[in-house]
């Protein structure tokens, strides 16, 4: 092929750039593949992938006021049980709007990742002292319920948040509600859905009713506003009351 040395040099350089570009694309593709979550987890944790069988978490609803997490927007040091295997000292956050458990971890390059744990394999989890079990207690199917106990009495609470439109706010389009609880009391081996004081009082011996009613009045107790602390105090009182009851 004839041509000036300059033309030959430019042609050769152009071919070289194309080859390098093609190699770079192939290399980038390989990096993207090897850069996948599963690859990083395998490098860091070996073959045990049970805990990391999920999808990458990305924050959504950025124009929503408040947050969807329970009990608050922080990562707790906790534990998670998957198919009977318990993993301790993991960082977890619970999205009570989408009912997703989020795992925070650092990969082998010291980069922080957020992973939605596959709920199909999830048996239970704890966010610090807030512990949850997956149960079916209603027609709504299998849901995560916080378990609070005291003596012979247990309370299972399904927490959720709702979203409401905002017509008066120029910064936000929607707002997350405060946590809303659906309560079940377990006593003498039976589960009782609880929506008000009357339902609660009807579970326990008649001899406990006067003191029970007095406690509810003094504490201004309302299930609609009750959080984990108020429920724990209530159960402690009930447990003490039952143990001292003449019919116990």
């Amino acid at each position: 092929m004839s041509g000036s040395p300059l033309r030959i040099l430019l042609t050769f350089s152009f071919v070289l750039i194309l080859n390098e570009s093609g190699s770079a694309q192939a290399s980038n593709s390989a990096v993207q593949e090897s850069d996948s979550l599963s690859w990083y987890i395998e490098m860091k944790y070996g073959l045990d992938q049970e805990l990391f069988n999920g999808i990458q978490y990305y924050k959504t609803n950025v124009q929503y006021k408040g947050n969807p997490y329970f009990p608050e927007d922080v990562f707790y040091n906790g534990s998670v049980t998957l198919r009977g295997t318990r993993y301790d000292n993991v960082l977890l956050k619970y999205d009570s709007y989408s009912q997703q458990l989020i795992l925070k971890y650092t990969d082998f390059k010291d980069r922080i990742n957020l992973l939605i744990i596959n709920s199909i394999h999830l048996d239970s989890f704890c966010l610090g002292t807030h512990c949850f079990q997956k149960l079916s207690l209603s027609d709504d199917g299998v849901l995560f319920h916080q378990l609070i106990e005291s003596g012979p009495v247990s309370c299972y609470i399904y927490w959720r948040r709702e979203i409401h439109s905002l017509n008066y706010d120029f910064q936000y389009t929607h707002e997350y509600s405060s946590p809303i609880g659906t309560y079940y009391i377990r006593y003498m081996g039976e589960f009782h859905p609880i929506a008000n004081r009357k339902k609660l009082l009807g579970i326990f011996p008649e001899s406990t009713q006067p003191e029970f009613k007095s406690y509810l009045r003094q504490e201004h107790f309302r299930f609609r506003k009750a959080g984990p602390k108020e429920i724990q105090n209530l159960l402690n009182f009930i447990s003490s009351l039952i143990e001292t009851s003449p019919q116990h």
Side-chain angles (χ1 to χ4, degrees):
M1 181 176 64
S2 62
S4 67
L6 179 58
R7 179 178 297 177
I8 294 174
L9 178 60
L10 291 175
T11 302
F12 176 75
S13 300
F14 180 68
V15 172
L16 185 61
I17 290 171
L18 287 178
N19 287 336
E20 288 180 349
S21 176
S23 298
Q25 290 177 0
S27 176
N28 288 338
S29 178
V31 168
Q32 289 173 1
E33 182 177 354
S34 64
D35 204 33
S36 67
L37 177 62
S38 61
W39 186 79
Y40 278 129
I41 297 304
E42 185 173 349
M43 289 292 293
K44 183 173 177 63
Y45 295 95
L47 298 178
D48 185 3
Q49 302 296 312
E50 190 71 34
L51 179 59
F52 302 93
N53 182 12
I55 59 175
Q56 197 75 25
Y57 172 80
Y58 298 98
K59 187 174 181 179
T60 58
N61 300 338
V62 292
Q63 289 188 295
Y64 284 26
K65 189 175 182 179
N67 70 81
Y69 306 107
F70 180 88
E72 54 186 332
D73 186 8
V74 298
F75 279 93
Y76 288 83
N77 188 293
S79 64
V80 58
T81 301
L82 298 161
R83 292 181 176 176
T85 301
R86 176 168 169 157
Y87 301 84
D88 293 308
N89 298 317
V90 291
L91 293 176
L92 301 169
K93 182 190 287 188
Y94 180 50
D95 184 331
S96 56
Y97 173 71
S98 61
Q99 303 297 305
Q100 294 175 334
L101 184 63
I102 303 162
L103 171 71
K104 179 180 180 181
Y105 69 93
T106 304
D107 65 27
F108 80 103
K109 288 189 176 181
D110 292 327
R111 293 181 296 193
I112 294 176
N113 289 277
L114 303 180
L115 178 76
I116 300 172
I117 296 179
N118 192 333
S119 62
I120 295 177
H121 309 313
L122 182 55
D123 302 322
S124 62
F125 62 90
C126 290
L127 310 169
T129 59
H130 303 283
C131 293
F132 290 73
Q133 294 181 1
K134 189 164 66 174
L135 298 168
S136 177
L137 298 180
S138 69
D139 294 337
D140 294 328
V142 178
L143 301 168
F144 294 111
H145 295 78
Q146 182 182 12
L147 170 61
I148 302 176
E149 300 176 286
S150 183
V153 187
S154 305
C155 185
Y156 292 81
I157 313 168
Y158 166 59
W159 294 107
R160 72 185 191 280
R161 287 184 189 258
E162 297 176 346
I163 55 174
H164 306 289
S165 298
L166 293 177
N167 298 320
Y168 58 86
D169 197 313
F170 294 103
Q171 183 178 0
Y172 300 101
T173 60
H174 294 77
E175 180 179 23
Y176 288 104
S177 71
S178 299
I180 302 169
T182 302
Y183 304 86
Y184 301 86
I185 293 292
R186 187 174 187 269
Y187 179 62
M188 303 290 287
E190 294 186 11
F191 286 90
H192 304 269
I194 303 296
N196 51 51
R197 293 182 180 188
K198 184 177 180 180
K199 291 283 188 180
L200 179 64
L201 289 168
I203 298 173
F204 301 102
E206 188 174 345
S207 59
T208 66
Q209 302 297 303
E211 290 185 69
F212 208 155
K213 291 178 181 179
S214 177
Y215 174 88
L216 295 175
R217 284 195 303 268
Q218 290 177 5
E219 297 298 322
H220 304 287
F221 185 87
R222 296 288 186 278
F223 274 103
R224 192 161 44 101
K225 297 182 177 181
K229 182 179 179 180
E230 289 75 21
I231 294 296
Q232 184 67 72
N233 291 340
L234 174 66
L235 296 189
N236 292 342
F237 172 80
I238 295 174
S239 179
S240 175
L241 194 59
I242 291 174
E243 291 174 357
T244 58
S245 172
Q247 296 182 14
H248 180 67

